[in-house]
Amino acid sequence: DEARTSVGLLVKYHEDFEKRYARRLAIISELKHALVSAQSELKMVYQPKLELKAGKVTHAEALIRWNSSTLGFVPPDEFIGIAEQAGLIGQVTDFVIKTAIIDAKRIVESGLDICIAINLSAKDILNPKLLSVIEQHLKHYQVDASRLSFEITESDLVADPKKAVDELNRFREMGFSLAIDDFGTGYSSLAYLKQLPVSELKIDKSFVLKLAEQSSDQQIVQTILELAHNFQLGVIAEGVENQQSLKLLKEWGCDWVQGYHVCRPIDVEDMIQWCLQNAQTNWFE
Ligand code: C2E
Ligand code: MG
Ligand code: MG
Ligand code: MG
């Protein structure tokens, strides 16, 4: 009986493995296709970051969306990692940067004072050509460097700390502000954190989603706020899904919030309309 169970498990394991492998191959091949086919399957959406002191949107995060004609919607959490491993992330990032810069121009022209935050993966940061590509696009579309900022995931930085610090310094020298994304999930030491040339920490949404109910999350978030502010770093809380969380974060001196409660990620024209309509909204009553 036991033997039968292990054989069953083995078969199951093998089937799961094959399924995952097939899915991976499909994603790689379809993504290659999407990247050259006028890129209409890929688009960018934007999620506002609300600055709590003034109650104003000062930044918006650019998030990629892929609607594949054969695979349907594929979430970035699934395909970005595969793109990195398959050597396709450079092309994905080229698309992201170019589109975000074009949209940043559109946002400025609409009269809004909003900076676009672009997510970069570890492989991007180590790409020596990335900064010059960004510069070229900024110049070509006549967008000021101050209109862009970048988010880098904490666990990516921890993989090669020394190298990461060097590369991030090059971004800072060009005048871009940098945030550590998913903070609290990557085990960076305090000593390391102090060396990083970043200006903001973004608290991972796993600590924020149930903030109002979970006292352990409240303690973690308050501790991160105190730590970050002692280091003169701004703090963004992502995953704010209700008014109680927003109120707590404001009370504790969090600098920015982002989440479905404020606004979902939406396309650039919708975001511009949303920002214009919500310019006078009082978020705290
Ligand atoms: P991230 O940068 O930490 O982005 C936050 C994620 O949380 C986004 O998921 C966003 O849609 C989602 N989110 C925002 N507010 C809420 C909320 O209130 N509740 C919940 N449950 N979720 C919320 P998304 O767009 O699926 O992106 C997932 C991850 O994929 C991102 O995490 C980022 O690491 C990566 N990613 C997305 N776009 C890009 C991109 O253009 N380039 C790169 N390199 N990575 C990207
Ligand atoms: Mg991010
Ligand atoms: Mg995050
Ligand atoms: Mg992330």
Side-chain angles (χ1 to χ4, degrees):
D1 240 20
E2 212 169 89
R4 195 168 275 208
T5 317
S6 347
V7 171
L9 279 175
L10 209 63
V11 169
K12 175 95 177 62
Y13 177 82
H14 185 74
E15 283 171 1
D16 285 354
F17 184 83
E18 285 206 320
K19 251 187 228 153
R20 261 183 294 142
Y21 189 72
R23 169 86 178 161
R24 227 184 101 85
L25 286 184
I27 286 177
I28 293 171
S29 115
E30 293 306 302
L31 186 58
K32 276 185 186 161
H33 195 72
L35 283 165
V36 293
S37 67
Q39 294 163 338
S40 56
E41 290 186 2
L42 294 168
K43 62 170 200 167
M44 299 307 294
V45 290
Y46 297 87
Q47 187 180 37
K49 297 185 190 178
L50 181 70
E51 204 266 332
L52 286 176
K53 252 185 224 114
K56 293 225 152 33
V57 172
T58 58
H59 294 69
E61 178 174 10
L63 295 159
I64 195 167
R65 293 292 175 261
W66 179 22
N67 241 311
S68 160
S69 58
T70 51
L71 300 172
F73 177 75
V74 186
D77 271 334
E78 186 178 10
F79 77 82
I80 291 288
I82 294 175
E84 281 187 48
Q85 292 155 6
L88 295 172
I89 194 67
Q91 280 170 270
V92 172
T93 302
D94 281 347
F95 167 78
V96 169
I97 285 171
K98 187 174 171 205
T99 311
I101 288 174
I102 292 171
D103 291 342
K105 188 179 176 72
R106 173 75 193 97
I107 291 167
V108 175
E109 283 168 356
S110 72
L112 292 165
D113 186 12
I114 290 177
C115 171
I116 299 293
I118 296 175
N119 290 285
L120 293 179
S121 76
K123 285 250 170 69
D124 291 320
I125 300 159
L126 303 179
N127 170 5
K129 289 200 196 110
L130 182 67
L131 271 173
S132 63
V133 168
I134 296 172
E135 251 187 326
Q136 276 167 25
H137 285 313
L138 285 172
K139 208 167 156 193
H140 183 261
Y141 293 102
Q142 294 180 294
V143 172
D144 201 85
S146 65
R147 290 285 155 196
L148 294 191
S149 68
F150 295 91
E151 300 187 1
I152 299 110
T153 300
E154 185 190 16
S155 50
D156 283 350
L157 293 173
V158 179
D160 191 347
K162 171 80 180 65
K163 184 113 188 134
V165 172
D166 290 348
E167 293 306 318
L168 296 185
N169 272 320
R170 295 176 55 219
F171 274 81
R172 283 311 285 264
E173 281 157 19
M174 286 198 44
F176 298 124
S177 76
L178 299 171
I180 300 185
D181 209 342
D182 301 347
F183 186 74
T185 59
Y187 309 101
S188 34
S189 72
L190 281 184
Y192 178 50
L193 190 59
K194 235 180 101 172
Q195 286 177 44
L196 284 176
V198 300
S199 47
E200 282 102 33
L201 294 187
K202 216 168 162 182
I203 305 177
D204 190 67
K205 60 177 177 291
S206 60
F207 305 112
V208 180
L209 289 171
K210 299 198 181 79
L211 193 64
E213 303 107 80
Q214 297 226 327
S215 64
S216 56
D217 289 344
Q218 298 186 4
Q219 282 167 352
I220 291 169
V221 168
Q222 283 178 291
T223 305
I224 294 177
L225 278 163
E226 198 180 313
L227 168 101
H229 287 156
N230 279 336
F231 283 175
Q232 326 295 337
L233 297 171
V235 179
I236 305 152
E238 60 176 23
V240 175
E241 292 192 349
N242 54 59
Q243 181 70 8
Q244 297 102 288
S245 305
L246 183 127
K247 277 196 163 155
L248 284 175
L249 288 159
K250 164 131 174 117
E251 201 179 296
W252 299 337
C254 184
D255 304 280
W256 286 272
V257 292
Q258 201 182 8
Y260 297 164
H261 177 63
V262 178
C263 185
R264 286 187 179 255
I266 47 183
D267 72 37
V268 67
E269 293 306 327
D270 289 341
M271 199 214 39
I272 290 170
Q273 286 314 310
W274 186 94
C275 288
L276 294 171
Q277 276 159 18
N278 283 282
Q280 306 299 328
T281 300
N282 179 354
W283 291 93
F284 314 115
E285 55 192 14

